[in-house]
Amino acid sequence: DVKVTQSSRYLVKRTGEKVFLECVQDMDHENMFWYRQDPGLGLRLIYFSYDVKMKEKGDIPEGYSVSREKKERFSLILESASTNQTSMYLCASSLFSGTRILPYNSPLHFGNGTRLTVT
Amino acid sequence: DAKTTQPNSMESNEEEPVHLPCNHSTISGTDYIHWYRQLPSQGPEYVIHGLTSNVNNRMASLAIAEDRKSSTLILHRATLRDAAVYYCILRDGGYNSGNTPLVFGKGTRLSVIA
């Protein structure tokens, strides 16, 4: 089974701190994603990556950056944490599929999330 | 990706079948229909996906209308462990669509009563 591991289940940080959320997957997946989930707003995509050192902005990238130095690891960085970044953060990975034989439908595998509180 | 519409919530009795509807009237020819669910305190998990034909796997069945404007996720015997939020998502599977991420809506919250 694919395992996506997020480094912390719960995290409490102060406003202005630099915060690193780490995600590791063990299935050699090319694609990795960061979402945040808030009550009433559902899951929203922050950033994603198709390969090492590649990154693409999602729907809400402001205030975040990412790093993909190794294929198995995708880090989400809050340069200066703010209270409106208090949320559940979910990491996911999937196999790259971009051929006529295998269309873009590889399932996403999610971690169990990191609940970040910024005070 | 085209939009889907799901009821906000549904309720089912334990050990009875559950039919979770999803409307997607603007679906395009290359859109696949995906279902994910999210159990309490966990990340979403993949359930099933299909294009035109009905699909079955160990978790559920997916019934797709002939015109593809709606689909139904079927849980054959609901258990208490099936209580979750169920998301119906359309994903472009066309070769030139790019490896686009999933876009989640609000989903349907399923409650299962013992």
Side-chain angles (χ1 to χ4, degrees):
Chain A
D1 272 355
V2 176
K3 191 149 185 191
V4 178
T5 304
Q6 294 184 230
S7 54
S8 304
R9 191 84 165 116
Y10 299 95
L11 211 51
V12 179
K13 296 290 181 181
R14 293 186 185 275
T15 301
E17 276 193 79
K18 190 168 185 175
V19 181
F20 291 86
L21 302 183
E22 305 288 347
C23 176
V24 177
Q25 50 94 3
D26 65 359
M27 280 299 291
D28 204 34
H29 283 173
E30 290 83 3
N31 301 334
M32 296 189 75
F33 308 85
W34 275 106
Y35 290 83
R36 64 177 280 179
Q37 185 171 29
D38 302 287
L41 296 175
L43 279 89
R44 293 179 293 166
L45 180 67
I46 306 172
Y47 266 98
F48 57 103
S49 169
Y50 293 140
D51 203 348
V52 174
K53 297 198 187 293
M54 289 183 64
K55 60 183 178 184
E56 297 279 347
K57 291 180 181 179
D59 299 319
I60 50 162
E62 296 79 19
Y64 302 95
S65 62
V66 289
S67 173
R68 184 109 183 259
E69 295 297 318
K70 293 186 177 181
K71 192 175 185 181
E72 67 271 18
R73 186 181 296 270
F74 192 35
S75 304
L76 181 70
I77 303 155
L78 287 66
E79 294 289 342
S80 177
S82 64
T83 54
N84 64 11
Q85 292 179 310
T86 291
S87 186
M88 170 69 82
Y89 289 88
L90 290 156
C91 175
S93 73
S94 73
L95 196 61
F96 179 84
S97 52
T99 69
R100 293 188 190 280
I101 297 168
L102 187 64
Y104 297 94
N105 281 293
S106 299
L108 265 65
H109 300 266
F110 282 84
N112 280 333
T114 295
R115 185 165 291 285
L116 172 68
T117 303
V118 182
T119 60
Chain B
D1 290 323
K3 191 177 163 61
T4 63
T5 305
Q6 299 178 253
N8 289 333
S9 62
M10 288 184 66
E11 209 170 74
S12 172
N13 293 319
E14 199 178 8
E15 298 191 7
E16 288 187 0
V18 182
H19 290 234
L20 295 160
C22 181
N23 287 319
H24 29 78
S25 57
T26 59
I27 191 170
S28 75
T30 55
D31 282 337
Y32 282 71
I33 302 157
H34 288 247
W35 284 83
Y36 282 72
R37 72 178 186 180
Q38 188 172 18
L39 303 170
S41 302
Q42 293 187 26
E45 65 174 340
Y46 167 79
V47 177
I48 200 166
H49 78 273
L51 182 62
T52 55
S53 306
N54 294 345
V55 185
N56 299 297
N57 67 20
R58 64 175 178 82
M59 289 180 74
S61 297
L62 177 60
I64 301 172
E66 201 169 326
D67 64 5
R68 301 210 324 126
K69 293 187 176 181
S70 65
S71 60
T72 303
L73 181 72
I74 302 164
L75 307 179
H76 295 285
R77 284 182 74 219
T79 69
L80 297 177
R81 292 183 68 249
D82 291 321
V85 178
Y86 287 78
Y87 298 97
C88 170
I89 304 162
L90 299 185
R91 194 174 188 196
D92 189 353
Y95 179 71
N96 293 319
S97 65
N99 217 339
T100 53
L102 289 177
V103 176
F104 286 78
K106 303 277 176 67
T108 297
R109 183 173 297 278
L110 175 67
S111 302
V112 179
I113 302 165

